[in-house]
Amino acid sequence: MATRPFTLLTELFGDPVTAAIFSAERTVRSWLEAEAALAAAQAEHGVLRPEVARAIGAACTLESVDMAELWDGARNVGYPILSLVRMIDAALPAEAAGHVHLGATTQDIMDTGLALQLGEAIDRLLELVGTTGDAMAALVDRHRGTVMAARTHGQQAVPTTFGAKVAVHLEELARRRRRLAALRPEVARVSLFGAGGTSAALGPQAAPVRATMARLLGLEPADVPWHVARDGVAEFGLACATLAASCGRFAREVVALSRTEIGEVAEPDGHHRGASSTMPQKENPISSEAVIGMSVTAAALSSSLLGAMEPRHERAAGEWQVEWEAIPLLAGLAAGCALNAGAIAADLRVFPAAMRDNLRRDSGFLMAEAYMMRLAAELGRERAHDLVYDAVRDARRDGRSLEESLAAAAGERFEAIAPGDYVGDPDVACDAALRAWREEQSQMSTSEPSEMR
């Protein structure tokens, strides 16, 4: 078996649980589970004798498989199931031999195995997203009144609160979680349609055998072949990429706000955490950097799945193989992003004093809209806008604060406004995001596994 390239990013920051779901051993085991369930379902409907199905089930273990031989055979055939079936058959008693894989095709077994892995991967991603969202929810609640500068185009705009800022991230994460949960029944589906998708090899028993196979595996039933209808698999990959991007946006915010010139947040502390080999003062945002790297990679990789949706006729000729490479990587990248974003949010250091200092950093210019809106009641919006605009220009030219310049321009109309008095109503956004998150979290925690699936 060829050695896989060493990938430093996921080695350092990936999720071991997701990596195990797509390991070689778990992949082969998923195919074995599919073959065992097929035999058991056929026994229930009289296609196989019960003792034959039991023998097949007992032989569908990793102990029956020579992994090196399996991959050697797969390289020759192009696919691993022929070799796998021969190995299972070799482990059977004489009276059961020759009955493995009856009526199925290679892609049925591999797709059913993939469906098992996708279901497990979604469950793991939902777990990670839940942990990350809980950490963000704590930030929202704790900092709903922590006043800071909102920034547009990289510049200070108006006052906001840190809680209101994180509430936007929390609601975005909730949307990613809902999509993942809704996607599970779309991708965790059985496949048993035979060579050309007609189920002809199993005759009238095809539909009941397929339904029973799905039930035994905990998968959704399917009566329309999906050998070449890969939109569900592509949706999974895109859901991974969008989850990674949502985590990436949060990570970019942490990097930006932890800049020396801003200094409003910092990643969790620790001895030598984020240290430089040459600059002793450095405390680099390493987890956020890893999330950004994984999210950008996932974005590029996900586009390949759109090409994999375009096979011709009833079986792919190369398009399917795209999934073999892309899906495990995308799942791993998304899981790594969620895992690290959760760790960042859980122990994020927030510096309200630096936020207050930065509110005054630009001579109070972020209060320009506040003053314009107050003056608009008397002067109208356009005149008020021009008056404040000219006051800002004068203040910049003369090195004065906006308050000093505006007091001179507006005279007795001027009345100072504190940044904390112009943050809108952050509690509305914070409460709405928290309420939606907690209600959904409660529903998920009380749902039976069968309901989620």
Side-chain angles (χ1 to χ4, degrees):
M1 181 179 178
T3 302
R4 290 186 62 86
F6 172 73
T7 55
L8 184 60
L9 185 57
T10 50
E11 177 70 21
L12 297 181
F13 298 99
D15 174 45
V17 176
T18 303
I21 291 170
F22 291 97
S23 67
E25 289 75 14
R26 178 65 189 110
T27 300
V28 174
R29 196 167 71 248
S30 74
W31 302 336
L32 293 166
E33 290 170 8
E35 292 286 7
L38 171 60
Q42 288 173 331
E44 282 196 29
H45 296 282
V47 179
L48 292 180
R49 297 193 309 277
E51 62 272 19
V52 171
R54 286 193 294 270
I56 292 173
C60 285
T61 66
L62 288 175
E63 287 71 25
S64 300
V65 180
D66 182 321
M67 297 291 272
E69 183 180 333
L70 177 68
W71 304 131
D72 282 342
R75 273 188 286 273
N76 181 54
V77 175
Y79 306 93
I81 302 304
L82 176 61
S83 296
L84 185 73
V85 170
R86 297 288 170 88
M87 291 179 187
I88 298 169
D89 198 65
L92 292 173
E95 62 272 17
H99 292 87
V100 184
H101 197 65
L102 196 64
T105 192
T106 286
Q107 192 169 350
D108 285 331
I109 300 304
M110 291 181 67
D111 276 349
T112 298
L114 176 64
L116 292 170
Q117 291 174 289
L118 294 182
E120 291 178 24
I122 288 176
D123 291 343
R124 176 57 177 167
L125 288 171
L126 288 172
E127 179 184 354
L128 291 171
V129 170
T131 301
T132 302
D134 285 344
M136 287 188 183
L139 287 172
V140 171
D141 210 15
R142 189 181 311 130
H143 292 286
R144 60 173 66 228
T146 303
V147 182
M148 66 178 296
R151 295 172 173 90
T152 63
H153 304 278
Q155 301 177 14
Q156 289 193 4
V158 294
T160 186
T161 74
F162 188 63
K165 174 190 282 286
V166 180
V168 179
H169 290 280
L170 180 61
E171 189 182 42
E172 181 175 345
L173 201 62
R175 290 194 293 273
R176 300 282 68 76
R177 181 169 66 173
R178 284 195 296 273
R179 182 60 194 127
L180 280 168
L183 190 59
R184 199 186 196 287
E186 296 179 19
V187 298
R189 292 186 299 155
V190 72
S191 179
L192 183 64
F193 298 98
T198 64
S199 303
L202 284 173
Q205 298 295 346
V209 167
R210 188 166 54 244
T212 299
M213 183 180 173
R215 174 177 57 79
L216 292 173
L217 291 169
L219 296 175
E220 296 295 318
D223 287 321
V224 178
W226 53 283
H227 291 149
V228 290
R230 310 310 290 182
D231 54 301
V233 180
E235 284 273 12
F236 172 82
L238 293 171
C240 288
T242 53
L243 171 59
S246 293
C247 295
R249 189 173 76 81
F250 177 71
R252 289 179 187 274
E253 193 76 29
V254 171
V255 170
L257 294 180
S258 63
R259 287 173 51 200
T260 304
E261 295 83 358
I262 296 178
E264 295 177 352
V265 305
E267 281 195 0
D269 194 13
H271 183 66
H272 276 174
R273 192 176 193 282
S276 165
S277 63
T278 185
M279 295 171 283
Q281 86 280 10
K282 293 302 291 292
E283 201 174 48
N284 297 318
I286 52 168
S287 294
S288 296
E289 292 174 6
V291 171
I292 293 167
M294 288 186 284
S295 68
V296 171
T297 304
L301 189 60
S302 64
S303 63
S304 67
L305 295 174
L306 300 178
M309 286 178 59
E310 301 179 3
R312 292 166 179 79
H313 307 306
E314 280 65 56
R315 196 59 60 85
E319 297 87 357
W320 185 33
Q321 283 83 340
V322 173
E323 297 175 5
W324 301 359
E325 191 74 13
I327 289 299
L329 293 175
L330 281 164
L333 292 166
C337 284
L339 178 69
N340 286 277
I344 296 166
D347 293 311
L348 187 70
R349 290 179 287 162
V350 181
F351 306 120
M355 293 176 175
R356 288 192 297 271
D357 289 344
N358 285 336
L359 290 169
R360 300 186 289 269
R361 190 179 185 88
D362 195 26
S363 301
F365 294 150
L366 88 166
M367 297 303 296
E369 184 193 70
Y371 289 122
M372 181 195 75
M373 294 305 295
R374 175 169 289 181
L375 291 168
E378 179 182 348
L379 302 178
R381 201 203 73 87
E382 292 303 316
R383 287 183 60 199
H385 181 283
D386 289 345
L387 189 152
V388 175
Y389 179 81
D390 290 339
V392 168
R393 287 175 61 84
D394 291 344
R396 284 184 172 142
R397 182 195 62 211
D398 300 335
R400 294 188 296 172
S401 70
L402 175 60
E403 289 185 356
E404 293 171 324
S405 179
L406 199 54
E412 61 183 21
R413 300 190 190 95
F414 176 77
E415 182 179 350
I417 306 172
D421 294 331
Y422 196 74
V423 293
D425 194 349
D427 285 337
V428 170
C430 292
D431 288 341
L434 288 169
R435 183 170 56 252
W437 178 260
R438 288 166 179 166
E439 287 175 357
E440 190 174 328
Q441 190 78 321
S442 177
Q443 290 172 4
M444 286 201 166
S445 63
T446 57
S447 295
E448 294 294 329
S450 58
E451 292 176 351
M452 291 181 64
R453 296 179 186 181

